[in-house]
Amino acid sequence: MYRIALKMLREDRARFIGMVLSLSFSAIIITQQSSTFLGIMMRTYGTITDTPQADIWVMDPNVRFIDDILPLRDTDLFRVRCVEGVAWAVPFFKGAIRARLLNGQFQTCNLIGIDDSTLIGSPHTMLEGHVEDLRHPDAIIVNYQGAIDKLSRNQAPGLPSIPLRVGDQLELNDRRAKVVGICDMSRTFQSQPVIYTTYNRALTYAPAERKLLSFILVKSDGRMPVRELCKKISQVTNFAAYTKEDFENKTIDYYMRYTGIPINFGFAVFLGLLVGAGIAGLIFFNFITENLKYFALFAAMGASRWLLVKMTMLQALWVAMMGWGIGTGGSALIGYLARKTELTYHLTWPIFLGTGVIIFSICIVALFLSIAKIFKIELGTMFK
């Protein structure tokens, strides 16, 4: 009987293909939008992810997210170092600066200054050069995407641009900067190039201000829990201290509350849900209605109502499985093909399973609407 149920689906090809395609389209929209949203959220705290050496980030108490920088005094670094439980504390500069390229054009970049002596906060994946080369005069390291895109040199019209290479020079705030390395790192939220240099050199590149210390990176000595050390630093210095995970969550919370990103992506996911529920549900309901004569025949031959319900349940689950598989597979393929583009895409297993729950829920709702038809079958239906 279960084989007959699946054969009924295959024989009614128009409705079968319509249900699968509508569910697949719904799964693609839900998976793609959710993965893109997650990728964008990960970009917002990319600098934190790319700085794994520190356990704690110390900052002004009014800082709301990673790019909301309220500088501290340089002397505040020594106050943090004096707190019991701190193994080391180093300065960290983060700011925006305009770089003048060799062709005379200007490009806004993210400038990051790391500790001069330890180089803590440096990029962890170098494609060309070495982090230690930052100790050379006027040395900077540029991220790969910025080097091949926005910091590249344009040639004559119709010719490809020339990427920024090791040995090339830039001007940062009218000061010479020499590229000594190319690194790989997370893309920024605004897709701007990222330039690494030492902390003291970053202060010379940055516009003059009274306070320039963006953050203080802290490592625990392991004698107390990290969150307890955060509370102790806050009590002693009156600064905000967050673990890496807490600072990432704080950044995400800001974008979730004060930007329209969640609403825009949530609306797209809701439209995908409506498409699947409306089209697939209606087609499945019509499929059951059109095949009532066959179900009446099975009932006349001795099939119980519960067996007929299980047959329709198998049909609904089979359609849901195919729609879910094709949709999520297609969405994953889109993400794979766009992995080297500006498209942000991060497909995780919770998104994969969540999409499956939504697709199966759509089919289950359509199933329950159709079950009433099964229980109201009259044996005379097959003679009409």
Side-chain angles (χ1 to χ4, degrees), residues 12-34:
D12 195 349
R13 293 184 181 180
R15 290 190 176 89
F16 177 60
I17 294 175
M19 286 186 287
V20 172
L21 289 181
S22 61
L23 291 175
S24 300
F25 184 69
S26 179
I28 287 178
I29 293 178
I30 296 172
T31 306
Q32 192 273 334
Q33 291 295 308
S34 300

Side-chain angles (χ1 to χ4, degrees), residues 158-180:
L159 296 178
S161 58
I162 301 176
L164 191 69
R165 299 188 179 96
V166 173
D168 291 344
Q169 296 182 12
L170 301 174
E171 282 189 16
L172 304 178
N173 198 15
D174 294 330
R175 295 180 181 271
R176 175 178 177 270
K178 182 178 180 181
V179 179
V180 297

Side-chain angles (χ1 to χ4, degrees), residues 134-357:
L134 282 178
R135 294 193 171 96
H136 297 167
D138 305 322
I140 61 172
I141 294 175
V142 180
N143 72 316
Y144 174 74
Q145 291 297 328
I148 66 173
D149 186 13
K150 296 184 178 180
L151 295 180
S152 61
R153 288 182 293 165
N154 295 325
Q155 301 185 85
L159 296 178
S161 58
I162 301 176
L164 191 69
R165 299 188 179 96
V166 173
D168 291 344
Q169 296 182 12
L170 301 174
E171 282 189 16
L172 304 178
N173 198 15
D174 294 330
R175 295 180 181 271
R176 175 178 177 270
K178 182 178 180 181
V179 179
V180 297
I182 304 295
C183 68
D184 188 21
M185 57 174 296
S186 303
R187 297 196 183 193
T188 60
F189 180 66
Q190 297 178 338
S191 299
Q192 294 176 342
V194 179
I195 297 175
Y196 281 88
T197 188
T198 57
Y199 177 76
N200 287 316
R201 190 178 299 126
L203 299 186
T204 63
Y205 289 145
E209 294 184 20
R210 187 168 60 91
K211 296 186 291 184
L212 289 170
L213 179 58
S214 304
F215 301 100
I216 299 175
L217 305 182
V218 175
K219 183 72 173 181
S220 171
D221 60 8
R223 290 183 293 177
M224 67 175 67
V226 177
R227 283 190 170 84
E228 184 177 338
L229 180 58
C230 290
K231 295 180 181 179
K232 190 170 185 179
I233 292 175
S234 299
Q235 292 173 355
V236 174
T237 63
N238 292 324
F239 297 143
Y242 302 102
T243 65
K244 175 177 174 291
E245 294 76 15
D246 291 342
F247 196 23
E248 291 176 352
N249 293 333
K250 184 177 179 66
T251 299
I252 292 177
D253 182 67
Y254 172 83
Y255 283 94
M256 293 288 288
R257 288 188 178 187
Y258 301 107
T259 66
I261 297 176
I263 297 176
N264 293 331
F265 282 94
F267 185 71
V269 172
F270 180 70
L271 287 180
L273 177 61
L274 286 183
V275 169
I279 299 179
L282 181 60
I283 295 177
F284 188 76
F285 183 80
N286 289 336
F287 170 79
I288 297 297
T289 302
E290 290 292 329
N291 289 278
L292 280 179
K293 56 183 178 292
Y294 300 113
F295 288 110
L297 177 60
F298 297 146
M301 295 171 61
S304 64
R305 294 294 194 274
W306 174 238
L307 177 59
L308 299 180
V309 169
K310 288 192 291 185
M311 290 175 63
T312 56
M313 186 181 299
L314 176 62
Q315 292 169 340
L317 295 180
W318 182 256
V319 170
M321 181 67 72
M322 293 193 66
W324 178 38
I326 295 174
T328 53
S331 182
L333 180 61
I334 292 173
Y336 177 77
L337 295 176
R339 65 190 184 280
K340 295 183 179 180
T341 66
E342 289 294 329
L343 176 66
T344 60
Y345 197 91
H346 190 73
L347 177 59
T348 60
W349 67 265
I351 294 178
F352 180 76
L353 293 182
T355 303
V357 170

Side-chain angles (χ1 to χ4, degrees), residues 40-58:
I40 290 177
M41 289 295 101
M42 292 180 65
R43 282 192 180 188
T44 61
Y45 58 80
T47 303
I48 307 174
T49 304
D50 293 330
T51 313
Q53 302 95 333
D55 295 330
I56 299 172
W57 289 64
V58 180

